[in-house]
Amino acid sequence: KAGVTQTPRYLIKTRGQQVTLSCSPISGHRSVSWYQQTPGQGLQFLFEYFSETQRNKGNFPGRFSGRQFSNSRSEMNVSTLELGDSALYLCASSLFLAPYNEQFFGPGTRLTVL
Amino acid sequence: GDSVTQMEGPVTLSEEAFLTINCTYTATGYPSLFWYVQYPGEGLQLLLKATKADDKGSNKGFEATYRKETTSFHLEKGSVQVSDSAVYFCALSDPPRTSGSRLTFGEGTQLTVNP
């Protein structure tokens, strides 16, 4: 069974631009979560989607948004990029409400904002 | 809110040494506890988990016991290998019906094992 895939793996953008990251969950998984990983803040939860609906949201500004499609694939968007948005963005999939919330992570998208 | 605190890193050990990485948590309910490992350039992999008090999670020689009385979930391994060099994250998750699949992570501990 294929794992969680994320595209692209690397991105370089400039301040003020916007970016869209993509995540394909494990087949059969209907929940997709996004996390931001930075050296200063560590791993922080962005949001979770299930059945095309945002179910849970972390403490990030409205510039960070996401969506989920009917095939469970998810995208996240960051508008008006700031230098501090440089990070590794990780996607995780799971069976929503599955016991013990076991999450399976993708390799991440490394975003650099110049 | 929920929080996880890990011991300060980085940790450097010689091969075959004993490993302990401390983890304590604060949660309002009865969370599940996890250890994840991240190898260079990769995402996170679940190493082990425990879902209720006194449960012991184990995998690949690593162990951790859910201690509710001390709110701890320390990671141990009796004999580390060079291939264990990675960053280790302690994490918790509240019951899914209250918080979905959200994980709260500790700061991470960089482990380097020298031959």
Side-chain angles (χ1 to χ4, degrees):
Chain A
K1 185 185 272 192
V4 177
T5 57
Q6 292 187 246
T7 56
R9 292 292 309 276
Y10 302 92
L11 265 179
I12 299 176
K13 293 286 187 179
T14 56
R15 280 180 299 174
Q17 287 187 310
Q18 76 166 18
V19 66
T20 299
L21 312 181
S22 180
C23 172
S24 293
I26 291 172
S27 178
H29 285 191
R30 298 173 62 196
S31 170
V32 174
S33 298
W34 289 89
Y35 294 83
Q36 181 196 63
Q37 185 177 21
T38 61
Q41 299 298 316
L43 277 155
Q44 294 187 289
F45 173 79
L46 280 156
F47 28 63
E48 176 185 16
Y49 286 87
F50 174 74
S51 290
E52 303 175 61
T53 301
Q54 188 180 91
R55 299 288 175 154
N56 210 343
K57 188 178 189 304
N59 190 24
F60 278 81
R63 300 186 297 107
F64 292 82
S65 63
R67 60 177 176 168
Q68 187 180 35
F69 302 95
S70 58
N71 62 357
S72 296
R73 190 177 69 85
S74 177
E75 291 181 346
M76 68 163 281
N77 184 277
V78 188
S79 62
T80 320
L81 283 165
E82 301 176 0
L83 295 179
D85 297 333
S86 294
L88 180 67
Y89 289 88
L90 293 165
C91 167
S93 76
S94 68
L95 298 167
F96 187 70
L97 300 185
Y100 322 128
N101 287 331
E102 184 161 351
Q103 304 274 298
F104 295 84
F105 284 81
T109 294
R110 172 75 61 186
L111 172 65
T112 301
V113 181
L114 302 176
Chain B
D2 295 347
S3 66
V4 176
T5 302
Q6 287 182 233
M7 65 183 290
E8 295 277 333
V11 174
T12 302
L13 297 172
S14 297
E15 205 164 23
E16 299 184 2
F18 184 84
L19 168 71
T20 299
I21 301 177
N22 290 337
C23 171
T24 57
Y25 68 90
T26 302
T28 52
Y30 299 93
S32 296
L33 302 175
F34 306 85
W35 277 100
Y36 280 85
V37 58
Q38 185 175 35
Y39 297 100
E42 298 184 13
L44 277 68
Q45 299 176 26
L46 179 64
L47 182 60
L48 54 84
K49 66 179 184 287
T51 59
K52 61 183 186 297
D54 300 324
D55 264 2
K56 177 185 281 188
S58 62
N59 186 26
K60 299 181 182 178
F62 291 90
E63 293 183 340
T65 301
Y66 190 143
R67 300 288 188 199
K68 189 166 176 59
E69 65 276 13
T70 55
T71 61
S72 65
F73 192 55
H74 305 322
L75 182 68
E76 296 182 337
K77 186 175 186 182
S79 176
V80 294
Q81 306 300 312
V82 172
S83 58
D84 293 327
S85 297
V87 181
Y88 292 80
F89 292 91
C90 185
L92 70 79
S93 178
D94 282 323
R97 295 192 185 278
T98 61
S99 68
S101 301
R102 177 178 189 154
L103 288 165
T104 299
F105 287 92
E107 306 89 342
T109 301
Q110 172 75 58
L111 170 66
T112 301
V113 180
N114 295 318

